């Protein structure tokens, strides 16, 4: 098993898995777990007649996904209570938002940290309340990293809860301040949809823009298959509900300077997961194959493969994040401390 | 991976992959009587942390489906231990089919004695010793409690003997098969022992829990009652998946605590422990 294509096929066409032998199943579930998609896969395979040992493993995976859903919502509620005195909107992001809104992307989804977004000017207040009222504390005290986060990143340095051992990331926008695209975070907050209790989630177009920014415009595509599955589910669900969705998404992504990222994410989603996208969005770019190669770079033992492609995207992730001179200074400092 | 081994221990099937042959050969020998597995629930990988470490002072990093980010690699001479630690980790973090208690278990007439306690309490050695007498060994590391029936499900992995327990068991069970003696591990000397044949042949035979003991080695022989609330709290701490199992785990553990008598016992020798165990078993179980 050279890459993760077997996992993509199983997610895209669950019935195709009935042809797998036991070695194929071991590879499939190992890959899915390594890509944080085991719960998602288990939900997709629900109702298919499979051998008992496979069913038992899938039931475990669904139980575990239910536990993650429960804890994610509990964490969100803990944050809400800590932020009772906070004056301003609090937006749930990523997995927690998907399960809170009952979206298809949340079905079986792995959820690790709690991600929330507040207005940039109010972030110090949110930070103070989480530290004093909520029981969160800094993960590590490091003056350089701390200053780096505060000066250049789109979020506070990560905090961890003293008792529950769960992390919270508090964002004020969706990409590092040093990245070239500068999304309109204020508009995202203004248009967020209230889900009750003082919490909200992004409007559909903004949710897709964030998902694409996270997948394409930030990071080295680790977890790419999972983030792309989010993309597939969001696009499919929103476009089925609203005939104007694609036009609105195009306009909104332009406004956020994220049109290339959103279009690429949509193309990759169509190519791997078979998402229906408009004809005008489907024109392939020669980089796409490289992205696909990186996204699929894992073998049936759960090990990362294609080391050169991985390295390339690792370098790209730093390039996206910083102008060259700043990157050089950053790496120099990190190297001296290592 | 270059070398591969599959094995079933009780309800769980494992796939072990290794960059080196030696740990796989050792597992093949020690697990020779265990059932093979086609599909496996968990994967453990013993890998060189860096390419050169495959050859030069080789050391095995413990990777797999679940891993601890800060776990230090072990020298290749301790590769078998690395594989066993990897398998334990998969169970502790990934298993959801039964409630897991960090405990040893032995069975007699279809009823199980469960022993739990901190590392060094002697629960593992006690279960190995009783397994040589008229008890069936069910497991020295995890007791699996079925959440519907309340039954104890055997998990008879290789018995992990530490320090003084190694010589003691070699005396008790001279005919048993032992793995290589691994000295200077993070837990001192370790040597694995193949459980007695009935433990392996009957690894699918469940038992009704009948007595729970909290043994403590190194104190004057004594028996103490423990309040049910205290038992419950200690077992939640001894379980690696109690929280993840949610309401089903809570209900299973509540029933377990309500139905199974529990005692703490102190002892200074295997003979004392055996006498206390038999006395309490006759009284309570």
């Amino acid at each position: 098993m050279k890459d993760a294509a077997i996992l993509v096929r199983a997610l895209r066409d669950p019935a195709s898995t009935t042809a797998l032998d036991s070695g194929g199943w071991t590879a499939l579930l190992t890959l899915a777990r390594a890509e944080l998609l085991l719960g998602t896969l288990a939900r997709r395979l629900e109702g298919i007649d499979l051998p008992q040992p496979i069913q038992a493993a899938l039931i475990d995976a669904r139980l575990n996904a239910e536990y993650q859903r429960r804890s994610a919502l509990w964490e969100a509620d803990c944050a809400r209570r800590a932020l009772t005195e906070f004056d301003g909107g609090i937006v749930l992001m990523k997995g927690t938002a998907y399960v809170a809104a009952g979206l298809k992307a949340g079905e079986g989804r792995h959820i690790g940290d709690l991600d929330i977004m507040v207005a940039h000017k109010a972030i110090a207040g949110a930070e103070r309340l989480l530290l004093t009222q909520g029981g969160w504390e800094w993960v590590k005290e490091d003056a350089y990293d701390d200053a780096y986060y505060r000066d250049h990143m789109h979020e506070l340095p990560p905090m961890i809860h003293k008792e529950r051992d769960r992390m919270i990331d508090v964002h004020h926008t969706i990409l590092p301040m040093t990245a070239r695209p500068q999304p309109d975070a204020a508009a995202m907050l203004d248009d967020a949809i209230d889900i009750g209790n003082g919490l909200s989630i992004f409007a559909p177009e903004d949710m897709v823009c964030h998902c694409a920014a996270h997948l394409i415009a930030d990071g080295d595509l680790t977890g790419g298959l999972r983030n792309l599955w989010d993309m597939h589910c969001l696009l499919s669900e929103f476009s089925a509900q609203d005939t104007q969705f694609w036009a609105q998404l195009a306009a909104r992504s332009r406004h956020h300077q994220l049109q290339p990222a959103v279009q690429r994410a949509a193309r990759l989603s169509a190519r791997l997961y078979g998402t229906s996208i408009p004809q005008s969005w489907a024109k392939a770019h020669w980089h796409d194959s490289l992205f696909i190669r990186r996204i699929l770079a894992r073998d049936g033992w759960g090990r990362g493969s294609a080391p050169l492609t991985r390295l390339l995207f690792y370098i790209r992730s730093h390039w996206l994040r910083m102008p060259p001179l700043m990157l050089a200074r950053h790496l120099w400092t990190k190297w001296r401390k290592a | 991976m270059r070398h591969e081994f599959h094995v079933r221990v009780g309800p769980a099937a494992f796939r072990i992959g290794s960059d080196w042959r030696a740990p796989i050969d050792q597992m093949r020998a020690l697990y020779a009587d265990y059932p093979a597995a086609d599909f496996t629930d968990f994967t453990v990988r013993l890998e060189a942390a860096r390419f050169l470490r495959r050859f030069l002072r080789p050391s095995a990093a413990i990777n797999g489906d679940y891993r601890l980010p800060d776990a230090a690699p072990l020298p290749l001479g301790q590769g078998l231990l690395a594989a066993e630690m990897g398998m334990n980790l998969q169970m502790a973090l990934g298993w959801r089919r039964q409630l897991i208690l960090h405990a040893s278990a032995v069975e007699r007439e279809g009823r199980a004695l469960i022993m739990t306690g901190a590392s060094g309490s002697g629960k593992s050695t006690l279960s190995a010793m009783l397994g040589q007498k008229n008890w069936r060994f069910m497991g020295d590391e995890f007791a699996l409690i079925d959440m519907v029936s309340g039954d104890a499900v055997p998990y008879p992995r290789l018995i992990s003997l530490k320090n003084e327990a190694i010589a003691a068991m070699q005396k008790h069970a001279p005919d048993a098969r032992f793995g290589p003696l691994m000295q200077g591990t993070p837990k001192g000397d370790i040597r694995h022992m193949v459980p007695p044949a009935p433990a392996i042949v009957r690894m699918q035979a469940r038992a009704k829990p009948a007595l729970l003991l909290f043994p403590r080695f190194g104190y004057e022989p004594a028996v103490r009652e423990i309040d049910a609330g205290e038992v419950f709290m200690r077992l939640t701490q001894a379980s690696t998946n109690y929280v993840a199992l949610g309401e089903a785990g809570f209900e299973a553990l509540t029933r377990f605590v309500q139905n199974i008598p529990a005692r703490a016992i102190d002892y200074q020798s295997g003979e004392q422990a055996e006498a206390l165990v038999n006395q309490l078993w006759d009284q309570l179980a």
Side-chain angles (χ1 to χ4, degrees), chain A residues 147-155 172-183 217-218 257 317-327 329-330:
Chain A
Y148 185 86
Y149 265 97
R150 287 171 197 283
D151 294 346
H152 305 302
M153 289 299 278
H154 48 311
E155 59 195 358
H172 56 80
T173 181
I174 60 168
L175 278 180
M177 291 186 275
T178 49
R180 263 137 281 182
Q182 287 297 309
D218 189 22
Q257 304 174 9
S317 73
H318 278 78
W319 183 257
L320 289 174
R321 209 162 251 204
M322 302 173 194
L325 184 62
M326 185 182 166
L327 176 59
R329 270 204 300 268
H330 173 70

Side-chain angles (χ1 to χ4, degrees), chain A residues 19 27 39 63 79 131 182 186 202 245 258 260 268 270 288 292 307:
Chain A
L63 259 176
L131 292 171
Q182 287 297 309
F202 286 138
F245 174 73
L258 284 168
L268 297 177
D288 289 358
I292 300 264

Side-chain angles (χ1 to χ4, degrees), chain A residues 220-234:
Chain A
D220 64 355
L221 272 94
T222 298
L225 269 182
R226 196 268 307 264
N227 296 332
L228 196 61
W229 180 257
D230 288 344
M231 192 74 192
H232 167 70
C233 293
L234 296 177

Side-chain angles (χ1 to χ4, degrees), chain B residues 173-196:
Chain B
D175 300 333
R177 277 189 291 146
F178 291 88
L181 174 64
M182 294 176 280
Q183 288 171 307
T185 78
K187 290 184 172 178
D189 295 353
I190 288 192
R191 190 158 194 180
H192 292 94
M193 175 180 139
V194 180

